[in-house]
Amino acid sequence: MPLLEDTQRKLAAFQAKVRDVASTTFPYPEAEAALRVIEDKVQERLDSLTRLSGSSSRETVVESCRTAVQIIPIYLPIVGFCLRSKNINNPLEAYWPLLRLSRQLAGEGCQLILSSEWQFSPYTYLQVPYLTDYVLIGLPASESSNALLLPLAGHELGHTLWAKEKCSNTYRPHVYAKVIDLFLARWDDFQQYETSLKEEEFEGSLLGLKYYQAPIDWALRQLEEVFCDVIGLRLFGAAYLHAFAYFLAPGDPAARSRHYPHLAQRAQYLALAAAKFKVSLPTSFVDQFEEENAGNQGLDSFQIAIADEACSQLVADVIAQVNRLGEDRSLPDPSGEEVETVVENFRLLVPARSPTSASQVLNAGWKAHARTDLWSEYEQIQDDRDRVLNELILKSLEALEVSARRDG
Amino acid sequence: MLLSSKRIAELLDDTTSDDPLVITPGPRTEDLRDKGAASIDLRLGSWFVKPRPRRLSTLDVQSDVGQPVSDYTQDSRITKTYFVPLGEYYVLHPRSFVLASTLEWIRLPSGIAGYVIGRSSWGRRGLVIATATGVHPRFSGCLTLELTNLGEIPIQIRPGLRICQIFLHEVSTSSKRPEESRFVGYRTPVLGRIEPDKTARSLWTNP
């Protein structure tokens, strides 16, 4: 049957590509280990197809082929991600400090693959089957060598922690209650779209579910993004805010995703969290972001407004939870009192001499970035400041790892 | 005057100077004081740059003219860069040549210059390190090392190994603004450019 043979060929071709990539040299071993896991899973699918006897029904073969081939779209992007982790333009010295941070947050079994993406968004693959212990962090390829953007990895680590802590389960009942309350509080407005429902029947009815299920899902996704922002802030302090603004400001008012709070609102939530963590807000931080709209009208707009409000009402809980997580895991203080020492090192054109955390180094990096007079006496690097600062930051992160190993 | 390791330790411990001697990750200065030698060991870093012979028929220095130092080194048409993390190794095959960098970032103050030389224990195994080894005052960055295996057996070299040593000298007529090094602020090996000077150009110009 051609379907069976074609499926086997597709799987074999995919497996050959995985082997091909796995056989190359990686800067760190995790990418190869992940590829070997994928290769084994492809082999399992091939074996399952081989076991189909000649007497299997057409339905069985079709279903088996459909199931087996699903592995390719799931893992092909991961294979590409692993391949790109070899790129020397990635901030390779940041690997160990980020791995230590990942393990401090998500447990000792955590593995890290640091790579880049060909889309202009920091990206993480969430809960990839059979690779659940892997944190996959990829900055956009055009910015992947920019060490100042490393704090954005904090947001991606947040997604791992959200899953690890099963935060969806924790927050879903609260989101559910908020969304129902908001529908009932705005019942008159809702009746523009649905008149056959009564208030007292809304929560338990299938028709009601049709209206409130989506806002619950959106609000939960929004809350996850807020959680990840707050984790990034808790880990990297003001450096996260600078990286966030560099990367996202001013935003596109017409490109609102319902899975995120609108950008100006995210900035407001970060300002709230910054006050809680005693992190100084960069000048005009919130004002840099344009208000976005969903570009939708009618019911869709109404539902998004409910999701936004439900998320907003739970932000304080998220900030408090991240604060507790930071204390439980003894995360370094993000307010960065020792940052000036490192800035002074950078002024003398040397990496951090005794770095204590990646956060300290990255905050010093942003402070040095803002000081245009920092190297006025070094004429030969006036046109090369960004490169030199990048070198100093990455070398400082390497020094952090060397100290950790040497001093136990 | 050649600086003793005790004097070097004193300079490294002075964290208040606005023109300091810095070596980071630094040697333990208490070890330096006890050592009684006149040099500091430097370790191999993680970055290696190898020429791509397949892409180069000849090395024409005239083609370097006007190119920024960083662009030239990172030009992937003529060199290939490797990153070898701590714990891994790079194999240097017989008669092959590679640029490497020191693990340490070094900053020399205005009144101090340095000379980098190999370690005899490596030399006896065929590994020759650095042939252009002067380090000018106010240099700041990781040193580029030129490594060649003159032996007949491939050599594994690992980041973190003590690979060379630097001797530091006081510059007798210390100037606050000596000639600036072009290779300031690099953590990876720098190929640099060989730009023919005015005299060379005049010699090449036919009447």
Side-chain angles (χ1 to χ4, degrees), chain A residues 24-97:
Chain A
T24 59
T25 306
F26 291 91
Y28 297 103
E30 283 76 4
E32 185 183 341
L35 289 164
R36 296 297 178 202
V37 170
I38 297 171
E39 187 188 340
D40 289 348
K41 293 300 160 192
V42 180
Q43 188 59 49
E44 286 175 13
R45 301 295 192 283
L46 280 166
D47 293 345
S48 72
L49 294 182
T50 306
R51 284 194 295 272
L52 287 176
S53 66
S55 59
S56 296
S57 68
R58 187 178 183 283
E59 288 73 22
T60 303
V61 171
V62 168
E63 188 53 35
S64 299
C65 290
R66 181 184 293 130
T67 307
V69 87
Q70 281 172 352
I71 199 170
I72 299 177
I74 293 173
Y75 289 108
L76 189 59
I78 306 290
V79 176
F81 187 86
C82 291
L83 181 63
R84 292 191 298 280
S85 74
K86 294 158 50 119
N87 193 322
I88 55 152
N89 290 320
N90 294 334
L92 297 169
E93 287 90 343
Y95 173 83
W96 288 112

Coordinates of all heavy atoms in Angstrom, one line a residue, chain A residues 24-97:
Chain A
T24 N 26.8 16.1 14.2 CA 27.7 17.3 14.2 C 28.2 17.6 15.6 O 27.7 17.0 16.6 CB 27.1 18.5 13.5 OG1 25.9 18.8 14.2 CG2 26.7 18.1 12.1
T25 N 29.0 18.6 15.7 CA 29.6 19.0 17.0 C 28.8 20.2 17.6 O 28.6 21.2 16.9 CB 31.1 19.4 16.8 OG1 31.7 18.4 16.2 CG2 31.7 19.7 18.2
F26 N 28.4 20.0 18.8 CA 27.6 21.1 19.5 C 28.5 21.7 20.6 O 29.3 21.0 21.2 CB 26.3 20.5 20.1 CG 25.3 20.1 19.1 CD1 25.3 18.8 18.6 CD2 24.4 21.0 18.6 CE1 24.4 18.4 17.6 CE2 23.5 20.6 17.6 CZ 23.5 19.3 17.1
P27 N 28.3 23.0 20.8 CA 29.0 23.6 21.9 C 28.7 23.0 23.3 O 29.5 22.9 24.2 CB 28.6 25.1 21.8 CG 27.4 25.1 21.0 CD 27.4 23.9 20.1
Y28 N 27.5 22.5 23.4 CA 27.1 21.9 24.7 C 26.3 20.6 24.4 O 25.7 20.5 23.3 CB 26.2 22.9 25.5 CG 27.0 24.1 25.9 CD1 26.8 25.3 25.2 CD2 27.9 24.1 26.9 CE1 27.5 26.4 25.5 CE2 28.7 25.2 27.2 CZ 28.5 26.4 26.5 OH 29.3 27.5 26.9
P29 N 26.3 19.6 25.3 CA 25.8 18.3 24.9 C 24.3 18.2 24.9 O 23.8 17.2 24.3 CB 26.4 17.4 26.1 CG 26.7 18.3 27.2 CD 27.0 19.7 26.6
E30 N 23.6 19.1 25.4 CA 22.1 18.9 25.6 C 21.4 18.8 24.2 O 20.5 18.0 24.1 CB 21.5 20.0 26.4 CG 21.7 19.9 27.9 CD 23.1 20.3 28.3 OE1 23.9 20.8 27.4 OE2 23.4 20.2 29.5
A31 N 21.9 19.5 23.2 CA 21.2 19.5 21.9 C 21.3 18.1 21.3 O 20.3 17.5 20.8 CB 21.8 20.5 21.0
E32 N 22.5 17.5 21.4 CA 22.7 16.2 20.8 C 21.8 15.2 21.6 O 21.2 14.3 21.0 CB 24.2 15.7 20.9 CG 24.4 14.4 20.2 CD 25.8 13.9 20.3 OE1 26.7 14.7 20.6 OE2 26.0 12.7 20.1
A33 N 21.8 15.3 22.9 CA 21.0 14.4 23.7 C 19.5 14.5 23.3 O 18.8 13.5 23.2 CB 21.2 14.7 25.2
A34 N 19.0 15.7 23.1 CA 17.6 15.9 22.7 C 17.4 15.3 21.4 O 16.3 14.6 21.2 CB 17.3 17.4 22.7
L35 N 18.3 15.4 20.5 CA 18.2 14.8 19.1 C 18.1 13.3 19.2 O 17.4 12.7 18.5 CB 19.3 15.3 18.2 CG 19.2 16.8 17.8 CD1 20.5 17.3 17.2 CD2 18.1 17.0 16.8
R36 N 18.9 12.7 20.1 CA 18.9 11.3 20.2 C 17.5 10.8 20.8 O 17.0 9.7 20.4 CB 20.0 10.8 21.2 CG 21.4 11.1 20.7 CD 21.7 10.4 19.4 NE 23.1 10.7 18.9 CZ 23.5 10.6 17.7 NH1 22.7 10.1 16.8 NH2 24.7 10.9 17.4
V37 N 16.9 11.6 21.6 CA 15.6 11.2 22.1 C 14.6 11.3 21.0 O 13.8 10.3 20.8 CB 15.1 12.2 23.2 CG1 13.6 12.0 23.6 CG2 16.0 12.1 24.5
I38 N 14.7 12.3 20.1 CA 13.8 12.4 19.0 C 14.0 11.2 18.0 O 13.1 10.6 17.5 CB 14.0 13.7 18.2 CG1 13.7 14.9 19.2 CG2 13.2 13.8 17.0 CD1 14.0 16.3 18.6
E39 N 15.3 10.9 17.8 CA 15.6 9.8 16.9 C 14.9 8.5 17.4 O 14.4 7.7 16.6 CB 17.1 9.6 16.8 CG 17.5 8.6 15.8 CD 19.0 8.4 15.8 OE1 19.8 9.2 16.4 OE2 19.4 7.3 15.3
D40 N 15.0 8.3 18.7 CA 14.4 7.0 19.2 C 12.9 7.0 19.1 O 12.3 6.0 18.8 CB 14.8 6.9 20.7 CG 16.2 6.6 21.0 OD1 16.9 6.2 20.0 OD2 16.7 6.8 22.1
K41 N 12.3 8.2 19.2 CA 10.9 8.3 19.1 C 10.4 8.0 17.6 O 9.4 7.4 17.4 CB 10.3 9.6 19.6 CG 10.5 9.8 21.1 CD 9.8 8.8 21.9 CE 10.3 8.7 23.3 NZ 9.8 7.5 24.0
V42 N 11.2 8.5 16.7 CA 10.9 8.2 15.3 C 11.0 6.7 15.0 O 10.2 6.1 14.3 CB 11.9 9.0 14.4 CG1 11.5 8.7 12.9 CG2 11.7 10.5 14.6
Q43 N 12.1 6.1 15.6 CA 12.3 4.7 15.4 C 11.1 3.9 16.0 O 10.6 2.9 15.4 CB 13.6 4.2 16.2 CG 13.9 2.8 15.9 CD 14.1 2.5 14.4 OE1 14.9 3.3 13.7 NE2 13.5 1.5 13.8
E44 N 10.5 4.3 17.1 CA 9.3 3.7 17.7 C 8.2 3.7 16.7 O 7.4 2.7 16.5 CB 8.9 4.3 19.0 CG 9.9 4.0 20.2 CD 9.5 4.7 21.4 OE1 8.4 5.3 21.5 OE2 10.3 4.8 22.3
R45 N 8.0 4.9 16.0 CA 6.9 5.0 15.0 C 7.2 4.1 13.9 O 6.3 3.4 13.4 CB 6.8 6.4 14.5 CG 6.5 7.5 15.6 CD 5.2 7.3 16.2 NE 4.7 8.4 17.0 CZ 5.2 8.7 18.2 NH1 6.1 7.9 18.8 NH2 4.7 9.7 18.9
L46 N 8.4 4.0 13.4 CA 8.8 3.1 12.3 C 8.5 1.7 12.7 O 7.9 0.9 11.9 CB 10.2 3.3 11.9 CG 10.5 4.5 11.0 CD1 12.1 4.8 11.0 CD2 10.0 4.3 9.6
D47 N 8.9 1.3 13.9 CA 8.6 -0.1 14.3 C 7.2 -0.4 14.4 O 6.7 -1.5 14.0 CB 9.3 -0.3 15.7 CG 10.8 -0.2 15.7 OD1 11.4 -0.3 14.6 OD2 11.4 -0.1 16.8
S48 N 6.4 0.6 14.8 CA 4.9 0.3 14.9 C 4.3 0.1 13.5 O 3.4 -0.7 13.3 CB 4.2 1.5 15.6 OG 4.2 2.6 14.8
L49 N 4.9 0.8 12.5 CA 4.4 0.6 11.2 C 4.8 -0.7 10.6 O 4.1 -1.4 9.9 CB 4.8 1.8 10.3 CG 4.3 3.2 10.6 CD1 4.8 4.2 9.5 CD2 2.8 3.2 10.5
T50 N 6.1 -1.1 11.0 CA 6.6 -2.4 10.5 C 5.7 -3.6 11.0 O 5.5 -4.6 10.4 CB 8.0 -2.6 10.9 OG1 8.8 -1.4 10.5 CG2 8.7 -3.8 10.4
R51 N 5.2 -3.4 12.2 CA 4.4 -4.4 12.8 C 3.0 -4.6 12.2 O 2.3 -5.6 12.5 CB 4.2 -4.2 14.3 CG 5.5 -4.5 15.1 CD 5.2 -4.5 16.6 NE 4.8 -3.3 17.2 CZ 5.6 -2.3 17.6 NH1 6.9 -2.5 17.6 NH2 5.1 -1.2 18.1
L52 N 2.6 -3.6 11.4 CA 1.3 -3.8 10.7 C 1.4 -5.0 9.8 O 2.2 -5.0 8.9 CB 0.9 -2.5 9.9 CG 0.5 -1.3 10.7 CD1 0.3 -0.1 9.7 CD2 -0.7 -1.6 11.5
S53 N 0.5 -5.9 10.0 CA 0.6 -7.1 9.1 C -0.1 -6.8 7.8 O -0.9 -5.8 7.6 CB -0.2 -8.3 9.8 OG -1.5 -8.0 9.9
G54 N 0.1 -7.6 6.8 CA -0.5 -7.5 5.5 C -2.0 -7.6 5.6 O -2.8 -7.1 4.7
S55 N -2.5 -8.2 6.7 CA -4.0 -8.3 6.8 C -4.7 -7.2 7.5 O -5.9 -7.2 7.8 CB -4.3 -9.7 7.5 OG -3.7 -9.6 8.7
S56 N -3.9 -6.2 7.9 CA -4.5 -5.1 8.6 C -5.5 -4.4 7.7 O -5.3 -4.2 6.5 CB -3.4 -4.0 9.0 OG -2.5 -4.6 9.9
S57 N -6.5 -3.9 8.3 CA -7.6 -3.2 7.5 C -7.0 -1.8 7.0 O -6.1 -1.3 7.6 CB -8.8 -3.0 8.4 OG -8.5 -2.0 9.4
R58 N -7.7 -1.3 6.0 CA -7.3 0.0 5.5 C -7.4 1.0 6.5 O -6.6 1.9 6.7 CB -8.1 0.3 4.3 CG -7.6 1.6 3.6 CD -8.4 2.0 2.3 NE -7.8 3.2 1.7 CZ -8.0 4.4 2.2 NH1 -8.7 4.6 3.3 NH2 -7.4 5.4 1.6
E59 N -8.5 1.0 7.3 CA -8.7 2.0 8.4 C -7.6 1.9 9.4 O -7.1 3.0 9.9 CB -10.1 1.7 9.1 CG -11.3 2.0 8.3 CD -11.6 1.0 7.2 OE1 -11.1 -0.1 7.3 OE2 -12.2 1.4 6.2
T60 N -7.1 0.7 9.7 CA -6.0 0.6 10.7 C -4.8 1.2 10.1 O -4.0 1.9 10.8 CB -5.8 -0.9 11.0 OG1 -7.0 -1.4 11.5 CG2 -4.7 -1.1 12.1
V61 N -4.5 0.9 8.9 CA -3.3 1.5 8.3 C -3.3 3.0 8.2 O -2.4 3.7 8.5 CB -3.1 0.8 6.8 CG1 -1.9 1.6 6.1 CG2 -2.8 -0.6 6.9
V62 N -4.5 3.5 7.7 CA -4.6 5.0 7.6 C -4.4 5.6 9.0 O -3.7 6.6 9.1 CB -6.0 5.3 7.0 CG1 -6.3 6.8 7.2 CG2 -6.1 4.9 5.6
E63 N -5.1 5.1 10.0 CA -5.0 5.7 11.3 C -3.5 5.6 11.8 O -3.0 6.5 12.4 CB -6.0 5.0 12.3 CG -6.1 5.6 13.6 CD -6.4 7.1 13.6 OE1 -7.1 7.5 12.7 OE2 -5.9 7.9 14.4
S64 N -2.9 4.4 11.6 CA -1.5 4.2 12.1 C -0.6 5.2 11.4 O 0.3 5.8 12.0 CB -1.0 2.8 11.8 OG -1.9 1.9 12.5
C65 N -0.8 5.4 10.1 CA 0.1 6.3 9.3 C -0.1 7.7 9.8 O 0.8 8.5 10.0 CB -0.2 6.2 7.8 SG 0.4 4.7 7.1
R66 N -1.4 8.1 10.0 CA -1.7 9.5 10.5 C -1.0 9.7 11.8 O -0.4 10.8 12.0 CB -3.2 9.6 10.6 CG -3.6 11.1 11.0 CD -5.1 11.2 11.2 NE -5.8 11.0 10.0 CZ -6.9 10.3 9.8 NH1 -7.3 9.5 10.8 NH2 -7.5 10.2 8.7
T67 N -1.1 8.8 12.7 CA -0.6 9.0 14.1 C 0.9 9.0 14.0 O 1.6 9.9 14.6 CB -1.0 7.8 15.0 OG1 -2.4 7.7 14.9 CG2 -0.5 8.0 16.4
A68 N 1.5 8.1 13.2 CA 3.0 8.0 13.2 C 3.6 9.3 12.6 O 4.6 9.8 13.1 CB 3.4 6.8 12.3
V69 N 3.0 9.8 11.6 CA 3.6 11.0 10.9 C 3.5 12.3 11.6 O 4.2 13.2 11.4 CB 3.0 11.0 9.4 CG1 1.8 11.9 9.4 CG2 4.1 11.5 8.5
Q70 N 2.6 12.3 12.6 CA 2.4 13.5 13.4 C 3.7 13.9 14.2 O 3.8 15.1 14.5 CB 1.3 13.3 14.5 CG -0.1 13.4 13.9 CD -1.2 13.0 14.9 OE1 -0.9 12.5 16.0 NE2 -2.4 13.2 14.5
I71 N 4.6 13.0 14.3 CA 5.8 13.3 15.0 C 6.7 14.3 14.3 O 7.5 15.1 14.8 CB 6.6 12.0 15.3 CG1 7.6 12.2 16.4 CG2 7.3 11.5 14.1 CD1 8.2 10.9 16.9
I72 N 6.5 14.3 12.9 CA 7.4 15.2 12.1 C 7.2 16.7 12.3 O 8.1 17.4 12.7 CB 7.3 14.8 10.6 CG1 7.8 13.4 10.4 CG2 8.2 15.7 9.8 CD1 7.7 12.8 9.0
P73 N 5.9 17.1 12.2 CA 5.7 18.6 12.4 C 6.0 19.0 13.9 O 6.3 20.2 14.1 CB 4.2 18.8 12.0 CG 3.6 17.5 12.0 CD 4.7 16.5 11.7
I74 N 5.9 18.1 14.8 CA 6.2 18.4 16.2 C 7.7 18.7 16.4 O 8.1 19.6 17.0 CB 5.7 17.3 17.2 CG1 4.1 17.3 17.2 CG2 6.2 17.6 18.6 CD1 3.6 16.1 18.0
Y75 N 8.5 17.8 15.8 CA 9.9 17.8 16.2 C 10.8 18.5 15.1 O 11.9 18.8 15.4 CB 10.4 16.4 16.4 CG 9.9 15.8 17.7 CD1 8.9 14.8 17.7 CD2 10.3 16.3 18.9 CE1 8.4 14.3 18.9 CE2 9.8 15.8 20.1 CZ 8.9 14.8 20.1 OH 8.4 14.4 21.3
L76 N 10.3 18.6 13.9 CA 11.2 19.3 12.9 C 11.7 20.6 13.3 O 12.9 20.9 13.2 CB 10.5 19.3 11.5 CG 11.3 19.7 10.3 CD1 12.5 18.8 10.1 CD2 10.5 19.8 9.0
P77 N 10.8 21.5 13.9 CA 11.3 22.8 14.4 C 12.3 22.6 15.5 O 13.2 23.5 15.6 CB 10.0 23.5 14.9 CG 8.9 22.8 14.2 CD 9.3 21.4 14.0
I78 N 12.2 21.6 16.3 CA 13.1 21.4 17.4 C 14.5 21.0 16.8 O 15.5 21.4 17.3 CB 12.6 20.3 18.3 CG1 11.2 20.6 18.8 CG2 13.6 20.1 19.5 CD1 11.1 21.7 19.8
V79 N 14.5 20.2 15.8 CA 15.7 19.8 15.1 C 16.4 21.1 14.6 O 17.6 21.2 14.8 CB 15.5 18.8 14.0 CG1 16.8 18.4 13.3 CG2 14.8 17.5 14.6
G80 N 15.7 21.9 13.9 CA 16.2 23.2 13.4 C 16.8 24.0 14.6 O 17.8 24.6 14.5
F81 N 16.0 24.0 15.7 CA 16.4 24.8 16.8 C 17.8 24.3 17.4 O 18.7 25.1 17.7 CB 15.4 24.7 17.9 CG 15.6 25.6 19.1 CD1 15.1 26.9 19.1 CD2 16.2 25.1 20.2 CE1 15.3 27.7 20.2 CE2 16.4 25.9 21.3 CZ 15.9 27.2 21.3
C82 N 17.9 23.0 17.5 CA 19.1 22.3 17.9 C 20.3 22.7 17.0 O 21.4 23.0 17.4 CB 19.0 20.8 18.0 SG 17.9 20.3 19.4
L83 N 20.0 22.6 15.7 CA 21.0 22.9 14.7 C 21.5 24.4 14.9 O 22.7 24.6 14.8 CB 20.5 22.7 13.3 CG 21.4 23.0 12.1 CD1 22.6 22.0 12.1 CD2 20.7 22.9 10.8
R84 N 20.6 25.3 15.1 CA 21.0 26.7 15.3 C 21.7 26.9 16.6 O 22.4 28.0 16.7 CB 19.8 27.6 15.1 CG 19.2 27.6 13.7 CD 18.2 28.7 13.6 NE 17.0 28.5 14.4 CZ 16.0 27.7 14.2 NH1 16.0 27.0 13.1 NH2 15.0 27.6 15.0
S85 N 21.6 26.0 17.5 CA 22.3 26.2 18.8 C 23.9 26.2 18.6 O 24.6 26.5 19.5 CB 21.9 25.2 19.8 OG 22.5 23.9 19.5
K86 N 24.3 25.7 17.5 CA 25.7 25.6 17.2 C 26.3 27.0 16.7 O 27.5 27.1 16.7 CB 26.0 24.6 16.0 CG 25.7 23.2 16.3 CD 25.5 22.4 15.0 CE 26.6 22.7 14.1 NZ 27.3 21.5 13.7
N87 N 25.4 27.9 16.4 CA 25.9 29.1 15.8 C 26.8 29.9 16.8 O 26.3 30.2 17.9 CB 24.7 30.0 15.4 CG 25.1 31.1 14.5 OD1 26.1 31.7 14.7 ND2 24.2 31.4 13.5
I88 N 28.0 30.3 16.3 CA 28.9 31.0 17.2 C 28.4 32.4 17.5 O 29.0 33.0 18.4 CB 30.3 31.0 16.7 CG1 30.3 31.6 15.3 CG2 31.0 29.6 16.7 CD1 31.6 32.3 14.9
N89 N 27.4 32.9 16.8 CA 26.9 34.2 17.2 C 26.0 34.2 18.4 O 25.6 35.2 18.9 CB 26.2 34.8 16.0 CG 27.1 35.2 14.9 OD1 28.2 35.7 15.1 ND2 26.8 34.9 13.6
N90 N 25.6 33.0 18.8 CA 24.8 32.9 20.0 C 25.6 33.3 21.2 O 26.9 33.2 21.2 CB 24.3 31.5 20.2 CG 23.3 31.1 19.1 OD1 22.6 31.9 18.5 ND2 23.2 29.7 18.9
P91 N 25.0 33.8 22.2 CA 25.8 34.2 23.4 C 26.3 33.0 24.2 O 25.7 32.7 25.3 CB 24.8 35.1 24.2 CG 23.5 34.6 23.8 CD 23.6 34.0 22.4
L92 N 27.3 32.3 23.7 CA 27.6 31.0 24.3 C 28.1 31.0 25.7 O 27.9 30.1 26.5 CB 28.6 30.3 23.4 CG 28.1 30.0 21.9 CD1 29.2 29.6 21.0 CD2 27.0 29.0 22.0
E93 N 28.8 32.1 26.1 CA 29.3 32.2 27.4 C 28.1 32.4 28.4 O 28.3 32.2 29.6 CB 30.2 33.5 27.6 CG 31.6 33.3 27.0 CD 31.6 33.8 25.5 OE1 30.5 33.9 24.9 OE2 32.7 34.0 25.0
A94 N 26.9 32.7 27.9 CA 25.8 32.9 28.8 C 25.2 31.5 29.2 O 24.3 31.4 30.1 CB 24.7 33.8 28.2
Y95 N 25.6 30.5 28.5 CA 25.0 29.2 28.7 C 25.0 28.7 30.1 O 23.9 28.4 30.7 CB 25.6 28.1 27.8 CG 25.1 26.7 28.0 CD1 24.0 26.3 27.4 CD2 25.8 25.9 28.9 CE1 23.5 25.1 27.6 CE2 25.3 24.6 29.1 CZ 24.1 24.2 28.5 OH 23.7 23.0 28.8
W96 N 26.2 28.6 30.7 CA 26.2 28.1 32.1 C 25.5 28.9 33.1 O 24.7 28.4 33.9 CB 27.7 27.9 32.5 CG 28.4 26.7 31.8 CD1 29.3 26.8 30.9 CD2 28.0 25.3 31.9 NE1 29.7 25.5 30.4 CE2 28.9 24.6 31.0 CE3 27.1 24.6 32.7 CZ2 28.8 23.2 30.9 CZ3 27.1 23.2 32.5 CH2 27.9 22.6 31.7
P97 N 25.7 30.3 33.1 CA 24.9 31.1 34.0 C 23.4 30.9 33.9 O 22.6 30.8 34.9 CB 25.3 32.5 33.7 CG 26.7 32.4 33.2 CD 26.7 31.1 32.4

